[in-house]
mmCIF file of all heavy atoms in Angstrom:
data_model
loop_
_atom_site.group_PDB
_atom_site.id
_atom_site.type_symbol
_atom_site.label_atom_id
_atom_site.label_comp_id
_atom_site.label_asym_id
_atom_site.label_seq_id
_atom_site.Cartn_x
_atom_site.Cartn_y
_atom_site.Cartn_z
ATOM 1 N N ALA P 3 90.155 102.508 83.747
ATOM 2 C CA ALA P 3 89.191 103.552 84.141
ATOM 3 C C ALA P 3 87.795 103.230 83.615
ATOM 4 O O ALA P 3 86.802 103.336 84.346
ATOM 5 C CB ALA P 3 89.659 104.912 83.625
ATOM 6 N N ASP P 4 87.708 102.841 82.344
ATOM 7 C CA ASP P 4 86.397 102.550 81.743
ATOM 8 C C ASP P 4 85.706 101.381 82.447
ATOM 9 O O ASP P 4 84.502 101.417 82.715
ATOM 10 C CB ASP P 4 86.546 102.227 80.248
ATOM 11 C CG ASP P 4 86.890 103.466 79.425
ATOM 12 O OD1 ASP P 4 86.778 104.584 79.968
ATOM 13 O OD2 ASP P 4 87.280 103.304 78.255
ATOM 14 N N THR P 5 86.479 100.333 82.742
ATOM 15 C CA THR P 5 85.903 99.158 83.402
ATOM 16 C C THR P 5 85.434 99.514 84.810
ATOM 17 O O THR P 5 84.327 99.152 85.218
ATOM 18 C CB THR P 5 86.937 98.006 83.458
ATOM 19 O OG1 THR P 5 87.318 97.674 82.119
ATOM 20 C CG2 THR P 5 86.374 96.777 84.144
ATOM 21 N N PHE P 6 86.271 100.268 85.532
ATOM 22 C CA PHE P 6 85.927 100.670 86.896
ATOM 23 C C PHE P 6 84.671 101.540 86.920
ATOM 24 O O PHE P 6 83.738 101.298 87.684
ATOM 25 C CB PHE P 6 87.120 101.414 87.509
ATOM 26 C CG PHE P 6 86.904 101.875 88.927
ATOM 27 C CD1 PHE P 6 86.853 100.961 89.967
ATOM 28 C CD2 PHE P 6 86.780 103.233 89.225
ATOM 29 C CE1 PHE P 6 86.666 101.385 91.273
ATOM 30 C CE2 PHE P 6 86.599 103.659 90.529
ATOM 31 C CZ PHE P 6 86.535 102.740 91.559
ATOM 32 N N HIS P 7 84.642 102.544 86.031
ATOM 33 C CA HIS P 7 83.512 103.481 86.060
ATOM 34 C C HIS P 7 82.225 102.878 85.496
ATOM 35 O O HIS P 7 81.154 103.452 85.677
ATOM 36 C CB HIS P 7 83.886 104.771 85.318
ATOM 37 C CG HIS P 7 84.952 105.547 86.014
ATOM 38 N ND1 HIS P 7 86.037 106.112 85.372
ATOM 39 C CD2 HIS P 7 85.133 105.836 87.335
ATOM 40 C CE1 HIS P 7 86.821 106.710 86.254
ATOM 41 N NE2 HIS P 7 86.298 106.554 87.447
ATOM 42 N N SER P 8 82.324 101.725 84.857
ATOM 43 C CA SER P 8 81.101 101.077 84.362
ATOM 44 C C SER P 8 80.270 100.511 85.508
ATOM 45 O O SER P 8 79.068 100.281 85.365
ATOM 46 C CB SER P 8 81.443 99.965 83.367
ATOM 47 O OG SER P 8 82.019 98.849 84.024
ATOM 48 N N VAL P 9 80.902 100.266 86.679
ATOM 49 C CA VAL P 9 80.151 99.697 87.809
ATOM 50 C C VAL P 9 80.179 100.584 89.062
ATOM 51 O O VAL P 9 79.569 100.243 90.065
ATOM 52 C CB VAL P 9 80.663 98.278 88.188
ATOM 53 C CG1 VAL P 9 80.331 97.279 87.101
ATOM 54 C CG2 VAL P 9 82.140 98.276 88.514
ATOM 55 N N VAL P 10 80.894 101.701 89.008
ATOM 56 C CA VAL P 10 80.947 102.592 90.177
ATOM 57 C C VAL P 10 80.122 103.842 89.889
ATOM 58 O O VAL P 10 80.386 104.569 88.939
ATOM 59 C CB VAL P 10 82.402 102.969 90.533
ATOM 60 C CG1 VAL P 10 82.425 104.011 91.648
ATOM 61 C CG2 VAL P 10 83.174 101.737 90.960
ATOM 62 N N LYS P 11 79.093 104.044 90.717
ATOM 63 C CA LYS P 11 78.214 105.199 90.553
ATOM 64 C C LYS P 11 78.151 105.955 91.879
ATOM 65 O O LYS P 11 77.824 105.355 92.913
ATOM 66 C CB LYS P 11 76.792 104.760 90.168
ATOM 67 C CG LYS P 11 76.723 103.678 89.069
ATOM 68 C CD LYS P 11 76.726 104.278 87.688
ATOM 69 C CE LYS P 11 76.401 103.277 86.590
ATOM 70 N NZ LYS P 11 77.344 102.209 86.357
ATOM 71 N N ASP P 12 78.461 107.249 91.857
ATOM 72 C CA ASP P 12 78.392 108.099 93.056
ATOM 73 C C ASP P 12 79.132 107.494 94.245
ATOM 74 O O ASP P 12 78.603 107.423 95.367
ATOM 75 C CB ASP P 12 76.921 108.356 93.440
ATOM 76 C CG ASP P 12 76.153 109.028 92.313
ATOM 77 O OD1 ASP P 12 76.742 109.913 91.660
ATOM 78 O OD2 ASP P 12 74.985 108.659 92.079
ATOM 79 N N GLY P 13 80.334 107.015 93.990
ATOM 80 C CA GLY P 13 81.176 106.511 95.077
ATOM 81 C C GLY P 13 80.783 105.164 95.632
ATOM 82 O O GLY P 13 81.255 104.739 96.684
ATOM 83 N N SER P 14 79.887 104.457 94.910
ATOM 84 C CA SER P 14 79.453 103.134 95.376
ATOM 85 C C SER P 14 79.428 102.166 94.194
ATOM 86 O O SER P 14 79.196 102.578 93.055
ATOM 87 C CB SER P 14 78.048 103.254 95.982
ATOM 88 O OG SER P 14 77.696 102.046 96.593
ATOM 89 N N ILE P 15 79.677 100.892 94.475
ATOM 90 C CA ILE P 15 79.698 99.891 93.401
ATOM 91 C C ILE P 15 78.275 99.392 93.142
ATOM 92 O O ILE P 15 77.544 99.056 94.072
ATOM 93 C CB ILE P 15 80.621 98.712 93.778
ATOM 94 C CG1 ILE P 15 82.070 99.204 93.927
ATOM 95 C CG2 ILE P 15 80.555 97.592 92.730
ATOM 96 C CD1 ILE P 15 82.979 98.240 94.654
ATOM 97 N N ASP P 16 77.894 99.353 91.878
ATOM 98 C CA ASP P 16 76.556 98.912 91.486
ATOM 99 C C ASP P 16 76.701 97.733 90.516
ATOM 100 O O ASP P 16 77.144 97.905 89.386
ATOM 101 C CB ASP P 16 75.819 100.080 90.816
ATOM 102 C CG ASP P 16 74.435 99.686 90.312
ATOM 103 O OD1 ASP P 16 74.010 98.540 90.563
ATOM 104 O OD2 ASP P 16 73.781 100.527 89.649
ATOM 105 N N LEU P 17 76.334 96.540 90.978
ATOM 106 C CA LEU P 17 76.478 95.339 90.146
ATOM 107 C C LEU P 17 75.167 94.931 89.482
ATOM 108 O O LEU P 17 75.025 93.799 89.030
ATOM 109 C CB LEU P 17 77.009 94.168 91.003
ATOM 110 C CG LEU P 17 78.429 94.322 91.566
ATOM 111 C CD1 LEU P 17 78.805 93.100 92.386
ATOM 112 C CD2 LEU P 17 79.448 94.564 90.462
ATOM 113 N N SER P 18 74.202 95.864 89.410
ATOM 114 C CA SER P 18 72.908 95.499 88.815
ATOM 115 C C SER P 18 73.056 95.087 87.357
ATOM 116 O O SER P 18 72.375 94.169 86.883
ATOM 117 C CB SER P 18 71.892 96.643 88.954
ATOM 118 O OG SER P 18 72.409 97.824 88.381
ATOM 119 N N ALA P 19 73.977 95.730 86.615
ATOM 120 C CA ALA P 19 74.192 95.357 85.211
ATOM 121 C C ALA P 19 74.810 93.968 85.104
ATOM 122 O O ALA P 19 74.611 93.256 84.111
ATOM 123 C CB ALA P 19 75.089 96.384 84.520
#
Side-chain angles (χ1 to χ4, degrees):
D4 288 348
T5 300
F6 181 71
H7 293 135
S8 72
V9 291
V10 174
K11 315 273 191 294
D12 301 320
S14 188
I15 297 164
D16 177 5
L17 295 180
S18 56

